[in-house]
Structures are given as structure tokens and as C-alpha cells.
Amino acid sequence: MNAELDLPLPEMTFGHNLIKLAHRDSGWQYQFDALHALKCVKNGPLTEGDGVVRVRHAEAWLKSRTDPNTQISMPETVPTKPFDWTYTTVYEGHGLETLSQPYPFVRANPTDPAHSIPMEELQRHDPILFYAQTLLFEDELHDNGSSSLLIRLRVMPGCIFLLARFTLRVDQVLFRTFDTRLYHSFSSSPPLVIKEVIGLEAPYDAVKQCLDDPDDLTPLTDSTFVANTLASFSPQEKQAGASTGWKGIGRKIEVATLQKVASPPE
């Protein structure tokens, strides 16, 4: 995997972990895995839209580790192969094109209620017939925070729901999330898969101010708390993000309409 990606892997990379959805009647398949997620990490010099993140007080940190009275000059920096050290990924999963007839996602119709994920249904206490979660990667960013991508899947009597959540925390700098939600109702006709993608970020202090107890920073390590807090900000705050110019900020909803594959004639 390292050779194929040509970038340093996160400290914990679970290259064999994956979650794959398959619709038997149509042959549609959709997958989330570490390799394709890391392929969406910027490999090379970061440019406008990549959401460049720099550790706060990096220069002061380096100076604090040298004697202020020493005559030795500051260590020289050595150029290395550039890549996004935060492992920010805008990975939405990928389809497995094994059929002659693909099922592409297209922009949802905002006036069609069937083209939105019914959050009320997902918040009901329906029986969970199957649940799984898998971590694709995680990195502590040289003790400057955390970067991770976690996939959760649950099946209820009437639907299937998946949440892929990338969460980034750079201490004293910012928080960032990139969520992909997939929803399919078993009663939809024709079968419909809804995909909602949301990217959010905010300055570290803005999220910290939302803590119930300012002395307890534990919630800042909870991806659910971070995501809910970012979602609670005003539209103007969401658009501004953390002033990085990250292209991942925003929301889109797409749908894929599946069709039963005709059986070959006998």
C-alpha cells in the first residue's frame, strides 16, 4: 500500500478493513476501504482549496527546545516530499463497476421528499438487526491532534444506513469533519440509494467554547460531539470554516436509482 500511495501511511492504517454494500437484484456494489480513502489525501504541494493547516506556535516550539544563550544556530530544515500531513480526505466511497450497466449517483431533486434521508426514521428506536463499525486509519499527527476515518453501518427492519466520518483535530488550530451518509429504504420502488456528503470545519476555540464544562476537554476527542457542534453553527460560520479555504466545505445530496438485472434467456 505504501508503494502504491507514495506517501507516509498514518500511524494506524488498517489496509484489510473494508465495508461493502451490495444490492443483489441490480448487482450494484459500493465500498469503503483504506486504500481508496488515502488516495484522496493530497499528495504533493498543497495549493488553494486544499485547506492548508499549520501547527500553531511551531517556530516557538522549536525555539523552546534550544538554550536561549547557546551560540549554536537553529537547526536547518530539510525538504521532504510534500503531502497533506493531516490526512484530510474527501473520500465518499466508491462504486465497484462490475456490470455493463453502472448506476451513477446524480444530483437529488430538492423538491422530492424521497430524495432526502429521513432523519426522523433513523432516530426512532427501531430494532437493529445488524451493526458493524470499522476504522480505516488513525494518526495522532505527531502529538498535535488526531486524524481518523471511521465507518459505521446499521440495518433496521425498514432500511440500511451507513455513516463514513473523517474527523480532524489539530490542537489549538481547528476541527474538521467530512461525513458521507448512505441510506436505502427497503420499500423504495424502484430501489433508491441516497448519498449525503457534508464537509465542515471551525476554529479550535469556537468548538471549545461549546463545552459544558470548560475545564473538561474530554468531549473534544469525541467525534460525535465535534460533528454535532460543527453542525450547530450558523450558515455563515459554516461557510467561513476555519479560514483555510478548504474545498471540502459544503453539502450535497445525490441519488442512485437501481434496476433489477434481467435474467439471461435460457
Side-chain angles (χ1 to χ4, degrees):
M1 181 183 290
N2 203 347
E4 185 171 354
L5 293 170
D6 194 28
L7 58 78
L9 295 179
E11 294 169 335
M12 291 181 287
T13 302
F14 302 97
H16 296 292
N17 286 3
L18 64 86
I19 284 186
K20 180 169 70 175
L21 303 179
H23 186 258
R24 181 174 54 190
D25 289 346
S26 66
W28 175 86
Q29 297 182 60
Y30 205 78
Q31 181 167 303
F32 292 82
D33 60 54
L35 175 62
H36 288 84
L38 291 171
K39 282 184 176 180
C40 294
V41 173
K42 180 61 180 287
N43 190 4
L46 271 64
T47 57
E48 183 178 357
D50 291 328
V52 178
V53 180
R54 294 183 176 86
V55 178
R56 182 176 289 185
H57 309 311
E59 185 175 350
W61 177 88
L62 185 59
K63 289 182 179 180
S64 71
R65 279 150 178 79
T66 62
D67 184 345
N69 298 317
T70 184
Q71 298 301 312
I72 301 175
S73 60
M74 291 287 290
E76 294 184 2
T77 57
V78 179
T80 59
K81 187 180 188 305
F83 73 101
D84 185 353
W85 68 279
T86 69
Y87 294 103
T88 292
T89 177
V90 290
Y91 178 54
E92 304 174 11
H94 65 284
L96 301 178
E97 302 298 345
T98 58
L99 302 170
S100 58
Q101 179 184 1
Y103 297 98
F105 280 97
V106 298
R107 186 176 298 276
N109 180 354
T111 64
D112 188 345
H115 285 196
S116 61
I117 298 177
M119 299 307 295
E120 299 83 4
E121 176 184 353
L122 298 177
Q123 292 169 357
R124 294 194 315 235
H125 296 290
D126 292 345
I128 296 178
L129 307 179
F130 176 79
Y131 176 82
Q133 72 173 31
T134 185
L135 183 64
L136 297 186
F137 68 79
E138 185 172 8
D139 193 282
E140 293 185 350
L141 307 179
H142 306 286
D143 294 328
N144 288 299
S146 176
S147 174
S148 65
L149 177 56
L150 179 68
I151 318 295
R152 293 190 177 99
L153 171 71
R154 56 185 164 122
V155 181
M156 286 75 72
C159 66
I160 183 171
F161 177 69
L162 179 147
L163 170 61
R165 171 165 288 161
F166 168 78
T167 307
L168 172 67
R169 183 190 84 250
V170 180
D171 292 332
Q172 310 304 321
V173 181
L174 61 72
F175 288 90
R176 177 181 290 167
T177 60
F178 191 81
D179 287 355
T180 300
R181 292 175 171 85
L182 290 180
Y183 170 86
H184 169 65
S185 171
F186 299 139
S187 62
S188 59
S189 181
L192 192 71
V193 179
I194 304 171
K195 180 172 69 171
E196 180 183 55
V197 179
I198 301 177
L200 297 168
E201 69 173 22
Y204 183 93
D205 288 342
V207 177
K208 184 179 177 181
Q209 290 173 3
C210 296
L211 292 170
D212 292 331
D213 181 356
D215 295 324
D216 180 11
L217 303 183
T218 305
L220 300 182
T221 65
D222 180 355
S223 62
T224 300
F225 170 83
V226 171
N228 290 342
T229 301
L230 294 179
S232 71
F233 291 153
S234 69
Q236 294 78 13
E237 290 172 318
K238 291 177 180 177
Q239 186 61 38
S243 302
T244 66
W246 180 43
K247 62 185 178 184
I249 292 176
R251 177 175 181 259
K252 69 175 182 179
I253 302 179
E254 298 177 330
V255 296
T257 303
L258 311 183
Q259 301 291 340
K260 184 174 181 178
V261 177
S263 302
E266 298 183 357

